[in-house]
Amino acid sequence: MGTRAEEEEEEAGGSLEEKIEISPLHVRKRSMLSQILAGILVNSVYEMRNYPIVLVNTVLSPLSFLLLITFVSRGALLGEAVEGGLIMSMFSAGMSLQADLSHLKNDFKLQDMVVSSPTPWFSYVTGIAVSEIVYSLPALVVLGILAAYFVHTTEFGVVELLLVLFLMFLTSIALGYTFATLSSDIVQSFAFSRLLSTLFSTIPPVYYPITYIPLPFRYLAYLSPTTYAAELAQNATGYLSLQRFMILFDWVVLIGVTAVLLGIATKKARWREA
Amino acid sequence: MVAEQTSNDQTISCVELTKIYSGKRESKALDSVSFSIPSNGIFVLIGRNGSGKTTLVRILSTELEPTSGEVFINGIDVKNESDKLRERIAIVPQEARAIPWMTPAQTVLSYLLWRGFSYGEAKRRALETLGKLGLGRHANSLNRTLSGGNKRKVLVATVLASEAEIIFLDEPTTGLDPISRREFWSLLKEIGQRRFTFLTTHYLEEAEELGDRIGVLDRGRLVGLGTLDELRQRVNYNYSMKLSRGVPLPHVTRGEVVEGRDGTRVLTTEEEAFAISRELSRGGYKFTINPISLDDIFFYLANRGADQVGN
């Protein structure tokens, strides 16, 4: 333990008298994994570690709809609701990405600091995107346990479900990143985030089968990629029986939408302002 | 004018650098700025709000593309070799804030990870830097609990802990109280001894205290550049008199009169300054008389619409 005098000197910045150079400057091989890890730490791990209350929120958010649907259907739609919770968690990741990128850029100028460093845009965005999954982990673990108990399917069905969830994640981060480049402040960003969440994960039949929606409105639901994801997930786990043509069509739409959105996001990536 | 640069050049050179922001109302933030300065010590860019300081820093630090013109830093073309340059630079932007839910150690560590350091090396450098800046005891406190001065120090620590040779600090002391600002100056002086520091400020005393070289930017044009002595020589007068509002303007035979919101400033020779002061003293008027300062030089160059440097 240092003496009071040493502490005072440190507080007053007395050690500045010494050489401030930290270590010899040298060029090293830079690690992309470190760059991705930085995004994960800043945007999820540190926040969860320093403010544990956010953990409660991340669990409750997808569970709230699940409980509502389960109670209203008297338990009949529990399996669909669990799958819906998983899809919504993956989709919410992209919506959060949009708000978080905008928040870090506009309120803390973090992106400006990172742009003027050896970090490529891909590492930065990937790190923040993965951090959204880490942030959703508490909810995903709870939903995963519920799925293991209440959703019965084959091994192929599990693989199919995981693939759907992964595509949903890619779709949402592409959408989130594109909108993040459009928003210039946090209020605008949260407005986009809420709008997209409502349009793509609340209105479409994510928590229940599409057959519950009356016909004219059903066509509107097909405007959302989450509808195709839910159909495929429900088909993979036996809650919905789709014709082979419809399964193929749903996969084509889901993969196509994901590819197009990723293409737009890559093209719109504005790492340096014009 | 075509700039020829080699990798051995240790200069920052701008040639006819122009930035026009397009939009509903087009605005020219930089207007054919040309200069060349050695990339060592501390360069301070001063100017009023909206004079183009931040735009210039953002272009130099590869955040913003210029509309036209050329920029080279140590022989690296900022426009076309931005990835190469980014290996060597670091910036603390204007209005940057330490993220409140993180600690200083986490803030510095994560920035170093973004620069590609391994976790172990990043952690070691982060703690070492925070210790050297007197933040060792606060390393694991949340940023939101730190004082304003320490929050700024955390941001400076991020770039200082890096391997960057060139550091850009955009108005790093804005909003700090006078004592914290002076403490901060010691830190900046130390940094400037080892790495080239490009600093912007609107505090003229800060430029006077820190700048090995000073640039004066006014409405997107560089109207002054050089050491403090060189800038003093451009004014041709060695005394500055400040007259409060309502004080009748004396007859000035050799000098420059600058009208401001807070009164009148007369830049003049020693002989004339004492003649005027005798006249004002006889009338019982209040005034101050001082050797010319950067403050006066800035007013002189900015209000006179001085010819742009480098053209």
Side-chain angles (χ1 to χ4, degrees):
Chain A
M1 204 175 137
T3 63
R4 179 74 189 142
E6 281 169 348
E7 285 177 1
E8 278 173 1
E9 187 193 39
E10 187 197 36
E11 188 66 25
S15 53
L16 285 177
E17 300 303 318
E18 300 160 21
K19 284 189 176 179
I20 212 166
E21 196 51 76
I22 305 306
S23 289
L25 304 177
H26 59 284
V27 180
R28 307 146 298 107
K29 190 175 172 354
R30 300 183 195 277
S31 159
M32 187 182 266
L33 281 178
S34 288
Q35 292 168 338
I36 292 171
L37 177 64
I40 297 170
L41 290 175
V42 169
N43 203 44
S44 57
V45 176
Y46 290 151
E47 193 175 342
M48 291 160 108
R49 188 199 287 175
N50 298 339
Y51 293 162
I53 189 74
V54 299
L55 290 167
V56 179
N57 185 41
T58 58
V59 175
L60 285 184
S61 177
L63 288 185
S64 54
F65 245 94
L66 183 150
L67 291 174
L68 181 74
I69 297 293
T70 307
F71 292 150
V72 169
S73 69
R74 295 175 191 278
L77 294 177
L78 176 62
E80 286 96 327
V82 169
E83 284 182 357
L86 286 167
I87 290 172
M88 192 192 153
S89 290
M90 299 313 263
F91 193 79
S92 298
M95 298 306 97
S96 303
L97 173 84
Q98 190 261 133
D100 289 342
L101 282 176
S102 181
H103 188 37
L104 294 171
K105 178 185 172 189
N106 297 315
D107 296 338
F108 302 112
K109 305 289 172 196
L110 179 69
Q111 190 171 312
D112 289 353
M113 289 181 77
V114 176
V115 169
S116 301
S117 79
T119 320
W121 74 269
F122 179 79
S123 302
Y124 180 71
V125 175
T126 304
I128 304 289
V130 175
S131 80
E132 304 298 351
I133 291 287
V134 174
Y135 204 83
S136 305
L137 270 182
L140 290 173
V141 168
V142 173
L143 288 166
I145 293 167
L146 288 174
Y149 270 99
F150 298 108
V151 178
H152 306 291
T153 183
T154 60
E155 284 167 2
F156 181 73
V158 173
V159 172
E160 210 175 345
L161 182 62
L162 290 175
L163 195 59
V164 166
L165 292 175
F166 180 64
L167 284 174
M168 207 68 270
F169 173 65
L170 288 183
T171 303
S172 73
I173 59 162
L175 203 61
Y177 183 63
T178 305
F179 274 88
T181 63
L182 298 176
S183 54
S184 54
D185 63 65
I186 195 65
V187 176
Q188 201 179 39
S189 171
F190 278 125
F192 278 140
S193 180
R194 285 194 203 106
L195 178 69
L196 291 172
S197 278
T198 308
L199 284 178
F200 293 128
S201 65
T202 310
I203 294 175
V206 174
Y207 288 89
Y208 47 87
I210 194 164
T211 46
Y212 280 47
I213 301 179
L215 242 188
F217 299 105
R218 208 179 290 178
Y219 297 117
L220 282 177
Y222 278 113
L223 292 175
S224 166
T226 47
T227 300
Y228 301 93
E231 272 195 350
L232 287 168
Q234 288 163 9
N235 181 68
T237 49
Y239 293 114
L240 193 69
S241 185
L242 290 177
Q243 290 180 333
R244 192 164 285 183
F245 164 75
M246 268 310 283
I247 296 171
L248 187 68
F249 178 73
D250 282 1
W251 276 116
V252 168
V253 170
L254 200 56
I255 292 169
V257 167
T258 306
V260 168
L261 287 173
L262 281 174
I264 292 172
T266 309
K267 208 169 181 183
K268 288 222 66 130
R270 289 192 304 188
W271 201 228
R272 188 188 212 181
E273 285 180 36
Chain B
M1 190 168 156
V2 177
E4 282 186 20
Q5 299 284 323
T6 68
S7 56
N8 294 327
D9 281 327
Q10 293 298 306
T11 58
I12 293 191
S13 308
C14 293
V15 183
E16 299 283 323
L17 190 64
T18 298
K19 178 66 191 177
I20 299 169
Y21 290 107
S22 51
K24 283 179 188 168
R25 270 182 53 195
E26 219 171 58
S27 70
K28 194 180 262 188
L30 291 178
D31 185 1
S32 301
V33 170
S34 298
F35 66 87
S36 181
I37 51 167
S39 56
N40 56 50
I42 300 180
F43 177 76
V44 182
L45 187 65
I46 55 173
R48 288 184 265 222
N49 290 333
S51 59
K53 301 189 297 292
T54 296
T55 298
L56 181 55
V57 167
R58 295 189 75 210
I59 289 173
L60 293 174
S61 62
T62 75
E63 282 176 54
L64 189 66
E65 281 180 14
T67 307
S68 62
E70 294 179 323
V71 198
F72 294 90
I73 297 181
N74 291 353
I76 301 170
D77 184 343
V78 175
K79 270 162 57 176
N80 301 317
E81 297 175 288
S82 54
D83 286 346
K84 192 175 170 188
L85 183 64
R86 285 170 181 156
E87 301 271 340
R88 302 174 182 198
I89 61 170
I91 185 174
V92 177
Q94 190 182 4
E95 294 172 7
R97 289 197 296 136
I99 297 175
W101 65 78
M102 285 164 64
T103 65
Q106 291 167 347
T107 306
V108 181
L109 166 72
S110 55
Y111 178 74
L112 295 180
L113 289 174
W114 262 309
R115 290 193 76 96
F117 283 83
S118 67
Y119 186 88
E121 194 181 356
K123 191 173 181 181
R124 183 186 63 74
R125 289 177 80 109
L127 294 175
E128 192 182 351
T129 310
L130 290 168
K132 296 248 176 185
L133 298 192
L135 288 169
R137 282 193 298 155
H138 303 291
N140 296 314
S141 310
L142 289 180
N143 287 331
R144 67 178 168 83
T145 63
L146 303 179
S147 66
N150 280 344
K151 281 178 188 165
R152 291 292 167 86
K153 273 191 187 173
V154 171
L155 291 173
V156 173
T158 57
V159 292
L160 189 60
S162 78
E163 79 295 13
E165 302 155 19
I166 297 170
I167 291 175
F168 295 96
L169 301 171
D170 194 3
E171 299 194 6
T173 61
T174 300
L176 294 185
D177 64 75
I179 294 171
S180 302
R181 198 182 306 145
R182 279 175 193 282
E183 280 177 9
F184 217 79
W185 289 352
S186 320
L187 169 60
L188 298 177
K189 276 181 192 168
E190 288 288 331
I191 298 172
Q193 281 175 18
R194 287 163 183 84
R195 310 191 202 187
F196 175 61
T197 307
F198 190 111
L199 188 122
T200 74
T201 184
H202 51 240
Y203 298 118
L204 300 179
E205 74 275 24
E206 188 164 293
E208 210 163 346
E209 179 76 21
L210 297 175
D212 296 312
R213 272 166 230 89
I214 297 165
V216 183
L217 205 58
D218 184 52
R219 282 164 285 191
R221 301 169 75 244
L222 191 71
V223 295
L225 179 70
T227 62
L228 192 56
D229 284 341
E230 286 165 350
L231 288 175
R232 275 202 184 105
Q233 282 165 20
R234 278 198 66 190
V235 178
N236 292 327
Y237 306 110
N238 19 43
Y239 277 87
S240 163
M241 302 185 69
K242 284 175 194 147
L243 284 58
S244 308
R245 279 208 164 277
V247 174
L249 188 64
H251 178 66
V252 181
T253 50
R254 285 185 64 201
E256 187 102 14
V257 178
V258 183
E259 294 284 353
R261 263 185 292 179
D262 55 342
T264 307
R265 197 181 290 241
V266 181
L267 308 181
T268 186
T269 60
E270 184 177 355
E271 197 177 86
E272 181 93 3
F274 284 104
I276 295 170
S277 64
R278 275 196 296 275
E279 191 183 328
L280 291 173
S281 298
R282 275 199 293 272
Y285 296 112
K286 285 187 178 169
F287 62 94
T288 59
I289 179 165
N290 287 299
I292 210 150
S293 67
L294 182 60
D295 192 47
D296 302 304
I297 298 166
F298 175 70
F299 269 89
Y300 174 83
L301 293 172
N303 286 314
R304 200 162 167 259
D307 290 338
Q308 178 150 223
V309 173
N311 288 340

